[in-house]
Amino acid sequence: MDLFDKDVVSIRDLTKAQIEGILDLSQEMVPYALGEKTKRILDGKILGNLFFEPSTRTKLSFESAALRLGCDVIDVSEMSMTSISKGETLADTIKMVDAYCDLIVLRHPYEGAARLAAKFSVNPVINAGDGAGSHPTQTLLDLFTMREAKGSLDGLNIVLVGDLKYGRTVHSLADALTMFGAKLTLVAPESLQMPDDTVSHLKEKGCNPVKTAHLEDAISQADVLYVTRIQRERFPDPAEYNKVAGTYRIDNAILREAKSDMIVMHPLPRVGEIAPEVDETAHARYFRQAFNGVPVRMALLCSILGGKIE
Ligand code: NCD
């Protein structure tokens, strides 16, 4: 898996072998992510964290991953604090930040922003979410969490539920799961179903997802129930959001239909899709999933910046 100096803009930039290599390295990183072992193998490197949309987990776990490896971090969290607010183009901002660090992590409200940044940056760029586009590093930690829970990714029965139209995590995740021969069920209201171009790509790769609006049709077969938030901020019309808000809510009653070893995942933040009572069940994996962002991003930073773990 040679990822040295490579951009990660889309999960499609990675081969199955490269993904498996990152997951294996992520496993080795767990004791370092927990602070039980230390190795400053990226000492002297600088990560530029540019977050032009809200973030808790992604930004902090990249930061934590970098610091655990001895890599320094410079960051910007608001466009209003940069010269973009003075009219500077994203391309110029990226060229500047590129000159101040060794790797750029970018979250941006516009789909395609990370691809553009990668074009203008000499150093590698990692896409930390581009509008309703994709979120490849979330996918890596999602796969790591599934593999950790299930032992293998091959042929899992995965149900994706919620906002499959605007939710970027599920776009990248569906792509990646197809590489592992997953059976996918897409549960969403008709207006929030997976975009046609993504579904066509899945079909080209040999996955024939089942679409339904009814979670009850799918839950009993699932190995993994991947729940997403309805992305209120992406709706052009708030009335449309109000029509679909609260469509799905996972609680202990609906989980009675599930296999005993089915896991519930969510990229978080949740805003009512999963009742707090589920946190206490053996199904809940979303907090472990959030922690897994650290070892997985450590593995990615090491691979791209060339840090070797002995
Ligand atoms: C997701 C995102 O930003 O796309 N959050 C995350 O990165 N963990 C999901 C969301 O905001 O709903």
Side-chain angles (χ1 to χ4, degrees):
M1 72 129 185
D2 190 11
L3 286 176
F4 180 67
D5 210 26
K6 294 265 196 309
D7 301 310
V8 178
V9 172
S10 159
I11 200 72
R12 296 181 197 173
D13 295 342
L14 303 176
T15 62
K16 184 179 174 189
Q18 285 172 325
I19 291 175
E20 285 172 330
I22 294 168
L23 302 187
D24 291 343
L25 187 55
S26 303
Q27 190 62 52
E28 288 179 46
M29 290 293 178
V30 170
Y32 299 90
L34 288 167
E36 292 167 1
K37 288 188 185 176
T38 50
K39 201 167 265 295
R40 299 175 64 82
I41 48 181
L42 294 181
D43 203 12
K45 300 285 185 191
I46 300 178
L47 169 76
N49 240 353
L50 294 184
F51 277 72
F52 297 141
E53 265 197 342
S55 174
T56 307
R57 277 149 290 270
T58 307
K59 182 169 183 291
L60 290 181
S61 64
F62 262 113
E63 212 165 301
S64 174
L67 296 173
R68 292 275 190 212
L69 294 165
C71 176
D72 282 318
V73 181
I74 54 174
D75 72 276
V76 172
S77 299
E78 271 191 60
M79 262 192 227
S80 62
M81 301 299 283
T82 70
S83 290
I84 291 180
S85 67
K86 300 180 187 172
E88 186 171 64
T89 62
L90 178 65
D92 280 2
T93 303
I94 291 294
K95 283 190 212 168
M96 290 307 102
V97 178
D98 186 32
Y100 304 147
C101 65
D102 303 296
L103 178 137
I104 294 176
V105 175
L106 176 69
R107 171 168 288 190
H108 196 281
Y110 296 149
E111 204 169 323
R115 187 64 74 198
L116 181 108
K119 200 169 146 217
F120 286 95
S121 174
V122 175
N123 285 310
V125 170
I126 297 179
N127 181 7
D130 61 330
S134 69
H135 196 348
T137 66
Q138 178 71 40
T139 291
L140 293 171
L141 75 93
D142 292 344
L143 296 176
F144 183 73
T145 305
M146 289 178 196
R147 197 178 78 165
E148 186 180 57
K150 297 284 159 195
S152 154
L153 289 171
D154 293 317
L156 290 177
N157 194 322
I158 315 271
V159 176
L160 306 179
V161 57
D163 186 347
L164 309 185
K165 178 181 181 187
Y166 296 119
R168 53 194 172 202
T169 67
V170 281
H171 300 161
S172 305
L173 183 58
D175 268 0
L177 285 169
T178 298
M179 297 186 207
F180 292 90
K183 294 178 205 64
L184 282 185
T185 306
L186 308 175
V187 181
E190 190 55 39
S191 63
L192 294 182
Q193 258 299 351
M194 189 70 87
D196 289 342
D197 58 338
T198 308
V199 174
S200 306
H201 180 81
L202 301 180
K203 286 185 178 164
E204 265 167 44
K205 299 286 169 193
C207 170
N208 229 329
V210 175
K211 288 188 193 175
T212 174
H214 306 291
L215 182 56
E216 315 79 68
D217 297 348
I219 194 164
S220 63
Q221 298 302 313
D223 297 309
V224 177
L225 180 64
Y226 190 96
V227 187
T228 62
R229 174 178 71 90
I230 304 212
Q231 310 276 298
R232 188 216 299 254
E233 66 276 28
R234 311 236 183 265
F235 281 69
D237 178 358
E240 290 302 309
Y241 172 76
N242 291 330
K243 279 189 204 158
V244 285
T247 309
Y248 303 106
R249 181 171 164 86
I250 312 304
D251 58 15
N252 286 349
I254 190 154
L255 287 175
R256 280 200 278 276
E257 306 297 316
K259 294 189 206 171
S260 59
D261 63 349
M262 183 202 72
I263 59 165
V264 178
M265 295 176 60
H266 191 307
L268 302 177
R270 62 174 157 179
V271 289
E273 311 80 50
I274 303 180
E277 65 186 16
V278 177
D279 301 1
E280 309 307 321
T281 71
H283 298 293
R285 276 283 163 153
Y286 28 92
F287 294 121
R288 176 71 188 178
Q289 184 184 356
F291 161 73
N292 283 341
V294 181
V296 170
R297 290 179 170 121
M298 289 173 82
L300 197 60
L301 295 180
C302 275
S303 306
I304 295 176
L305 290 172
K308 291 263 179 297
I309 192 152
E310 293 117 42

Short mmCIF file of all heavy atoms in Angstrom, two decimals, residues 24-76:
data_model
loop_
_atom_site.label_atom_id
_atom_site.label_comp_id
_atom_site.label_asym_id
_atom_site.label_seq_id
_atom_site.Cartn_x
_atom_site.Cartn_y
_atom_site.Cartn_z
N ASP A 24 -5.11 -2.51 8.62
CA ASP A 24 -4.13 -3.30 9.40
C ASP A 24 -3.24 -2.37 10.23
O ASP A 24 -2.97 -2.62 11.40
CB ASP A 24 -3.25 -4.16 8.47
CG ASP A 24 -4.06 -5.28 7.82
OD1 ASP A 24 -5.16 -5.58 8.31
OD2 ASP A 24 -3.59 -5.83 6.79
N LEU A 25 -2.77 -1.29 9.59
CA LEU A 25 -1.91 -0.35 10.31
C LEU A 25 -2.69 0.34 11.43
O LEU A 25 -2.16 0.60 12.52
CB LEU A 25 -1.33 0.68 9.32
CG LEU A 25 -0.27 1.65 9.85
CD1 LEU A 25 0.91 0.92 10.48
CD2 LEU A 25 0.23 2.56 8.70
N SER A 26 -3.97 0.61 11.19
CA SER A 26 -4.82 1.25 12.21
C SER A 26 -4.87 0.38 13.46
O SER A 26 -4.85 0.89 14.59
CB SER A 26 -6.25 1.44 11.69
OG SER A 26 -6.26 2.19 10.51
N GLN A 27 -4.95 -0.94 13.24
CA GLN A 27 -4.99 -1.87 14.38
C GLN A 27 -3.72 -1.71 15.23
O GLN A 27 -3.78 -1.64 16.45
CB GLN A 27 -5.11 -3.30 13.83
CG GLN A 27 -5.38 -4.33 14.89
CD GLN A 27 -6.72 -4.08 15.60
OE1 GLN A 27 -7.75 -3.93 14.96
NE2 GLN A 27 -6.68 -3.98 16.92
N GLU A 28 -2.57 -1.60 14.54
CA GLU A 28 -1.31 -1.42 15.28
C GLU A 28 -1.27 -0.09 16.01
O GLU A 28 -0.55 0.07 16.99
CB GLU A 28 -0.12 -1.45 14.29
CG GLU A 28 0.18 -2.80 13.73
CD GLU A 28 1.34 -2.73 12.75
OE1 GLU A 28 2.35 -2.08 13.08
OE2 GLU A 28 1.21 -3.29 11.64
N MET A 29 -2.02 0.89 15.52
CA MET A 29 -1.99 2.23 16.10
C MET A 29 -2.83 2.36 17.37
O MET A 29 -2.71 3.34 18.09
CB MET A 29 -2.52 3.26 15.08
CG MET A 29 -1.61 3.49 13.92
SD MET A 29 -0.08 4.29 14.47
CE MET A 29 0.79 4.38 12.90
N VAL A 30 -3.70 1.37 17.66
CA VAL A 30 -4.64 1.52 18.78
C VAL A 30 -3.91 1.85 20.10
O VAL A 30 -4.28 2.82 20.77
CB VAL A 30 -5.59 0.30 18.89
CG1 VAL A 30 -6.39 0.33 20.19
CG2 VAL A 30 -6.54 0.27 17.69
N PRO A 31 -2.86 1.11 20.49
CA PRO A 31 -2.22 1.47 21.77
C PRO A 31 -1.59 2.87 21.78
O PRO A 31 -1.54 3.51 22.81
CB PRO A 31 -1.14 0.39 21.96
CG PRO A 31 -1.12 -0.44 20.74
CD PRO A 31 -2.31 -0.14 19.91
N TYR A 32 -1.17 3.33 20.61
CA TYR A 32 -0.62 4.69 20.52
C TYR A 32 -1.76 5.71 20.62
O TYR A 32 -1.62 6.76 21.24
CB TYR A 32 0.14 4.88 19.20
CG TYR A 32 1.32 3.95 19.05
CD1 TYR A 32 1.18 2.69 18.46
CD2 TYR A 32 2.57 4.31 19.54
CE1 TYR A 32 2.25 1.83 18.34
CE2 TYR A 32 3.65 3.46 19.43
CZ TYR A 32 3.48 2.21 18.82
OH TYR A 32 4.55 1.36 18.72
N ALA A 33 -2.91 5.38 20.01
CA ALA A 33 -4.07 6.29 20.06
C ALA A 33 -4.59 6.40 21.49
O ALA A 33 -5.12 7.43 21.89
CB ALA A 33 -5.17 5.77 19.14
N LEU A 34 -4.42 5.32 22.26
CA LEU A 34 -4.87 5.32 23.66
C LEU A 34 -3.84 5.96 24.58
O LEU A 34 -4.09 6.13 25.77
CB LEU A 34 -5.13 3.88 24.12
CG LEU A 34 -6.37 3.20 23.53
CD1 LEU A 34 -6.35 1.71 23.79
CD2 LEU A 34 -7.64 3.82 24.11
N GLY A 35 -2.65 6.27 24.04
CA GLY A 35 -1.60 6.85 24.87
C GLY A 35 -0.87 5.82 25.72
O GLY A 35 -0.10 6.15 26.61
N GLU A 36 -1.10 4.51 25.44
CA GLU A 36 -0.42 3.47 26.21
C GLU A 36 1.03 3.30 25.76
O GLU A 36 1.88 2.82 26.50
CB GLU A 36 -1.15 2.13 26.03
CG GLU A 36 -2.52 2.12 26.67
CD GLU A 36 -3.40 0.94 26.26
OE1 GLU A 36 -2.94 0.08 25.47
OE2 GLU A 36 -4.54 0.92 26.71
N LYS A 37 1.27 3.65 24.49
CA LYS A 37 2.63 3.63 23.95
C LYS A 37 2.83 4.97 23.26
O LYS A 37 1.86 5.59 22.82
CB LYS A 37 2.77 2.55 22.88
CG LYS A 37 2.77 1.13 23.36
CD LYS A 37 3.10 0.29 22.13
CE LYS A 37 3.04 -1.18 22.34
NZ LYS A 37 3.28 -1.90 21.07
N THR A 38 4.07 5.41 23.14
CA THR A 38 4.30 6.66 22.42
C THR A 38 5.38 6.48 21.37
O THR A 38 6.34 5.72 21.56
CB THR A 38 4.74 7.81 23.35
OG1 THR A 38 5.81 7.34 24.14
CG2 THR A 38 3.62 8.30 24.22
N LYS A 39 5.21 7.14 20.26
CA LYS A 39 6.23 7.17 19.22
C LYS A 39 6.03 8.43 18.40
O LYS A 39 5.01 8.58 17.74
CB LYS A 39 6.16 5.92 18.34
CG LYS A 39 7.48 5.69 17.61
CD LYS A 39 7.55 4.33 17.00
CE LYS A 39 8.23 3.26 17.82
NZ LYS A 39 9.60 3.35 18.12
N ARG A 40 7.01 9.33 18.48
CA ARG A 40 6.86 10.62 17.78
C ARG A 40 7.47 10.50 16.39
O ARG A 40 8.44 11.19 16.06
CB ARG A 40 7.50 11.73 18.62
CG ARG A 40 6.81 11.84 19.99
CD ARG A 40 7.48 12.85 20.89
NE ARG A 40 7.41 14.20 20.38
CZ ARG A 40 6.37 15.01 20.52
NH1 ARG A 40 5.30 14.59 21.16
NH2 ARG A 40 6.39 16.22 20.02
N ILE A 41 6.86 9.62 15.60
CA ILE A 41 7.48 9.33 14.30
C ILE A 41 7.23 10.40 13.24
O ILE A 41 7.80 10.34 12.17
CB ILE A 41 7.05 7.93 13.75
CG1 ILE A 41 5.56 7.76 13.85
CG2 ILE A 41 7.80 6.82 14.44
CD1 ILE A 41 5.07 6.42 13.37
N LEU A 42 6.37 11.36 13.57
CA LEU A 42 6.17 12.46 12.60
C LEU A 42 6.71 13.77 13.17
O LEU A 42 6.26 14.86 12.77
CB LEU A 42 4.69 12.58 12.23
CG LEU A 42 4.10 11.38 11.45
CD1 LEU A 42 2.63 11.63 11.11
CD2 LEU A 42 4.89 11.09 10.16
N ASP A 43 7.67 13.64 14.06
CA ASP A 43 8.30 14.82 14.66
C ASP A 43 8.82 15.75 13.57
O ASP A 43 9.46 15.29 12.62
CB ASP A 43 9.47 14.33 15.54
CG ASP A 43 9.81 15.35 16.60
OD1 ASP A 43 9.03 16.29 16.79
OD2 ASP A 43 10.89 15.20 17.21
N GLY A 44 8.52 17.03 13.68
CA GLY A 44 9.02 17.99 12.69
C GLY A 44 8.05 18.25 11.55
O GLY A 44 8.23 19.19 10.78
N LYS A 45 7.02 17.43 11.43
CA LYS A 45 6.02 17.64 10.37
C LYS A 45 4.93 18.59 10.89
O LYS A 45 4.68 18.69 12.09
CB LYS A 45 5.35 16.32 9.97
CG LYS A 45 6.30 15.27 9.43
CD LYS A 45 6.74 15.61 8.03
CE LYS A 45 7.61 14.50 7.45
NZ LYS A 45 8.25 14.91 6.21
N ILE A 46 4.23 19.24 9.93
CA ILE A 46 3.13 20.14 10.28
C ILE A 46 1.90 19.79 9.45
O ILE A 46 1.98 19.68 8.21
CB ILE A 46 3.52 21.62 10.05
CG1 ILE A 46 4.72 22.00 10.91
CG2 ILE A 46 2.33 22.55 10.35
CD1 ILE A 46 5.21 23.44 10.72
N LEU A 47 0.79 19.61 10.16
CA LEU A 47 -0.51 19.36 9.50
C LEU A 47 -1.30 20.67 9.49
O LEU A 47 -1.39 21.36 10.50
CB LEU A 47 -1.25 18.31 10.32
CG LEU A 47 -2.72 18.07 9.98
CD1 LEU A 47 -2.85 17.26 8.71
CD2 LEU A 47 -3.41 17.35 11.12
N GLY A 48 -1.89 21.00 8.34
CA GLY A 48 -2.76 22.18 8.23
C GLY A 48 -4.21 21.73 8.22
O GLY A 48 -4.66 21.10 7.26
N ASN A 49 -4.93 22.03 9.28
CA ASN A 49 -6.34 21.60 9.42
C ASN A 49 -7.23 22.77 9.02
O ASN A 49 -7.35 23.74 9.76
CB ASN A 49 -6.59 21.27 10.90
CG ASN A 49 -7.02 19.85 11.15
OD1 ASN A 49 -7.27 19.09 10.20
ND2 ASN A 49 -7.12 19.47 12.41
N LEU A 50 -7.86 22.69 7.85
CA LEU A 50 -8.74 23.78 7.39
C LEU A 50 -10.18 23.31 7.44
O LEU A 50 -10.59 22.46 6.64
CB LEU A 50 -8.42 24.15 5.94
CG LEU A 50 -7.07 24.78 5.66
CD1 LEU A 50 -6.99 25.16 4.18
CD2 LEU A 50 -6.87 26.01 6.52
N PHE A 51 -10.95 23.82 8.37
CA PHE A 51 -12.33 23.37 8.54
C PHE A 51 -13.28 24.54 8.32
O PHE A 51 -13.46 25.37 9.21
CB PHE A 51 -12.52 22.71 9.92
CG PHE A 51 -12.10 21.27 9.90
CD1 PHE A 51 -10.75 20.93 9.82
CD2 PHE A 51 -13.03 20.25 9.90
CE1 PHE A 51 -10.35 19.60 9.75
CE2 PHE A 51 -12.65 18.92 9.84
CZ PHE A 51 -11.31 18.60 9.76
N PHE A 52 -13.87 24.57 7.14
CA PHE A 52 -14.78 25.65 6.78
C PHE A 52 -16.24 25.26 6.95
O PHE A 52 -17.13 25.85 6.34
CB PHE A 52 -14.50 26.10 5.33
CG PHE A 52 -13.11 26.67 5.16
CD1 PHE A 52 -12.36 26.40 4.03
CD2 PHE A 52 -12.55 27.48 6.13
CE1 PHE A 52 -11.08 26.92 3.86
CE2 PHE A 52 -11.28 28.03 5.98
CZ PHE A 52 -10.54 27.74 4.85
N GLU A 53 -16.47 24.21 7.74
CA GLU A 53 -17.82 23.79 8.14
C GLU A 53 -17.67 23.24 9.55
O GLU A 53 -16.59 22.79 9.92
CB GLU A 53 -18.30 22.60 7.28
CG GLU A 53 -19.13 22.97 6.12
CD GLU A 53 -19.90 21.76 5.57
OE1 GLU A 53 -19.56 20.61 5.86
OE2 GLU A 53 -20.86 22.01 4.84
N PRO A 54 -18.76 23.22 10.35
CA PRO A 54 -18.65 22.73 11.72
C PRO A 54 -18.12 21.30 11.77
O PRO A 54 -18.39 20.49 10.89
CB PRO A 54 -20.09 22.76 12.24
CG PRO A 54 -20.79 23.75 11.36
CD PRO A 54 -20.13 23.67 10.02
N SER A 55 -17.37 21.01 12.83
CA SER A 55 -16.83 19.67 13.04
C SER A 55 -16.39 19.52 14.48
O SER A 55 -15.82 20.46 15.04
CB SER A 55 -15.61 19.44 12.13
OG SER A 55 -15.01 18.20 12.43
N THR A 56 -16.68 18.39 15.07
CA THR A 56 -16.11 18.08 16.38
C THR A 56 -15.16 16.91 16.22
O THR A 56 -13.95 17.02 16.40
CB THR A 56 -17.23 17.70 17.40
OG1 THR A 56 -18.20 18.73 17.40
CG2 THR A 56 -16.66 17.52 18.79
N ARG A 57 -15.73 15.75 15.82
CA ARG A 57 -14.95 14.52 15.76
C ARG A 57 -13.84 14.54 14.72
O ARG A 57 -12.70 14.17 14.99
CB ARG A 57 -15.87 13.32 15.45
CG ARG A 57 -16.56 12.75 16.64
CD ARG A 57 -17.89 12.20 16.23
NE ARG A 57 -18.76 13.30 15.88
CZ ARG A 57 -19.55 13.94 16.75
NH1 ARG A 57 -19.63 13.51 17.97
NH2 ARG A 57 -20.28 14.97 16.39
N THR A 58 -14.18 14.95 13.51
CA THR A 58 -13.19 14.84 12.43
C THR A 58 -12.00 15.76 12.72
O THR A 58 -10.84 15.34 12.64
CB THR A 58 -13.84 15.17 11.07
OG1 THR A 58 -15.00 14.36 10.93
CG2 THR A 58 -12.89 14.89 9.93
N LYS A 59 -12.30 17.00 13.08
CA LYS A 59 -11.20 17.95 13.32
C LYS A 59 -10.36 17.51 14.52
O LYS A 59 -9.13 17.45 14.43
CB LYS A 59 -11.78 19.34 13.55
CG LYS A 59 -10.73 20.40 13.77
CD LYS A 59 -11.34 21.79 13.73
CE LYS A 59 -10.28 22.86 13.86
NZ LYS A 59 -9.66 22.89 15.19
N LEU A 60 -11.03 17.20 15.63
CA LEU A 60 -10.27 16.85 16.84
C LEU A 60 -9.55 15.52 16.70
O LEU A 60 -8.46 15.35 17.24
CB LEU A 60 -11.19 16.84 18.06
CG LEU A 60 -11.70 18.22 18.50
CD1 LEU A 60 -12.58 18.08 19.74
CD2 LEU A 60 -10.55 19.18 18.79
N SER A 61 -10.12 14.57 15.97
CA SER A 61 -9.42 13.29 15.86
C SER A 61 -8.23 13.39 14.91
O SER A 61 -7.21 12.73 15.12
CB SER A 61 -10.36 12.14 15.49
OG SER A 61 -10.92 12.33 14.23
N PHE A 62 -8.31 14.24 13.89
CA PHE A 62 -7.11 14.49 13.07
C PHE A 62 -6.03 15.15 13.94
O PHE A 62 -4.84 14.80 13.86
CB PHE A 62 -7.43 15.39 11.87
CG PHE A 62 -7.65 14.63 10.59
CD1 PHE A 62 -8.90 14.59 9.99
CD2 PHE A 62 -6.62 13.92 9.99
CE1 PHE A 62 -9.11 13.87 8.82
CE2 PHE A 62 -6.82 13.20 8.82
CZ PHE A 62 -8.07 13.18 8.24
N GLU A 63 -6.47 16.10 14.77
CA GLU A 63 -5.52 16.81 15.62
C GLU A 63 -4.88 15.85 16.63
O GLU A 63 -3.67 15.83 16.81
CB GLU A 63 -6.30 17.90 16.36
CG GLU A 63 -5.49 19.14 16.64
CD GLU A 63 -6.41 20.29 17.04
OE1 GLU A 63 -7.29 20.67 16.24
OE2 GLU A 63 -6.25 20.79 18.15
N SER A 64 -5.73 15.05 17.27
CA SER A 64 -5.24 14.09 18.25
C SER A 64 -4.28 13.10 17.58
O SER A 64 -3.20 12.80 18.11
CB SER A 64 -6.44 13.38 18.87
OG SER A 64 -6.03 12.36 19.72
N ALA A 65 -4.66 12.61 16.40
CA ALA A 65 -3.82 11.65 15.66
C ALA A 65 -2.45 12.26 15.38
O ALA A 65 -1.40 11.63 15.59
CB ALA A 65 -4.50 11.25 14.36
N ALA A 66 -2.45 13.50 14.92
CA ALA A 66 -1.19 14.17 14.59
C ALA A 66 -0.34 14.34 15.85
O ALA A 66 0.85 13.99 15.87
CB ALA A 66 -1.48 15.53 13.94
N LEU A 67 -0.95 14.84 16.92
CA LEU A 67 -0.18 15.13 18.14
C LEU A 67 0.37 13.85 18.76
O LEU A 67 1.50 13.83 19.26
CB LEU A 67 -1.06 15.88 19.15
CG LEU A 67 -1.51 17.28 18.68
CD1 LEU A 67 -2.51 17.88 19.67
CD2 LEU A 67 -0.33 18.23 18.48
N ARG A 68 -0.40 12.77 18.70
CA ARG A 68 0.08 11.49 19.24
C ARG A 68 1.34 11.02 18.50
O ARG A 68 2.12 10.25 19.03
CB ARG A 68 -0.99 10.40 19.08
CG ARG A 68 -2.22 10.58 19.94
CD ARG A 68 -2.00 9.99 21.31
NE ARG A 68 -3.23 9.92 22.08
CZ ARG A 68 -3.26 10.04 23.41
NH1 ARG A 68 -2.15 10.24 24.09
NH2 ARG A 68 -4.39 9.95 24.06
N LEU A 69 1.50 11.47 17.25
CA LEU A 69 2.66 11.06 16.46
C LEU A 69 3.76 12.11 16.45
O LEU A 69 4.74 12.00 15.72
CB LEU A 69 2.21 10.77 15.02
CG LEU A 69 1.28 9.57 14.86
CD1 LEU A 69 0.60 9.58 13.50
CD2 LEU A 69 2.06 8.26 15.07
N GLY A 70 3.57 13.17 17.23
CA GLY A 70 4.60 14.21 17.30
C GLY A 70 4.50 15.23 16.17
O GLY A 70 5.41 16.07 16.01
N CYS A 71 3.43 15.18 15.40
CA CYS A 71 3.25 16.11 14.28
C CYS A 71 2.54 17.36 14.80
O CYS A 71 1.53 17.25 15.50
CB CYS A 71 2.40 15.40 13.22
SG CYS A 71 1.94 16.38 11.78
N ASP A 72 3.05 18.54 14.48
CA ASP A 72 2.38 19.77 14.92
C ASP A 72 1.17 20.07 14.03
O ASP A 72 1.09 19.59 12.90
CB ASP A 72 3.36 20.95 14.86
CG ASP A 72 4.30 20.93 16.07
OD1 ASP A 72 3.80 20.68 17.18
OD2 ASP A 72 5.51 21.14 15.87
N VAL A 73 0.27 20.90 14.57
CA VAL A 73 -0.97 21.21 13.83
C VAL A 73 -1.17 22.73 13.80
O VAL A 73 -1.04 23.39 14.83
CB VAL A 73 -2.20 20.56 14.52
CG1 VAL A 73 -3.49 20.88 13.75
CG2 VAL A 73 -2.02 19.05 14.66
N ILE A 74 -1.46 23.26 12.61
CA ILE A 74 -1.96 24.63 12.51
C ILE A 74 -3.37 24.53 11.96
O ILE A 74 -3.68 23.60 11.22
CB ILE A 74 -1.06 25.53 11.61
CG1 ILE A 74 -0.85 24.92 10.22
CG2 ILE A 74 0.29 25.78 12.28
CD1 ILE A 74 -0.10 25.83 9.26
N ASP A 75 -4.23 25.44 12.39
CA ASP A 75 -5.62 25.25 11.94
C ASP A 75 -6.39 26.55 11.80
O ASP A 75 -6.04 27.56 12.39
CB ASP A 75 -6.36 24.32 12.90
CG ASP A 75 -6.65 24.97 14.22
OD1 ASP A 75 -5.74 24.96 15.09
OD2 ASP A 75 -7.75 25.49 14.39
N VAL A 76 -7.45 26.45 10.99
CA VAL A 76 -8.42 27.52 10.84
C VAL A 76 -9.79 26.85 10.91
O VAL A 76 -10.00 25.81 10.31
CB VAL A 76 -8.27 28.23 9.48
CG1 VAL A 76 -9.41 29.19 9.26
CG2 VAL A 76 -6.95 28.97 9.40
#
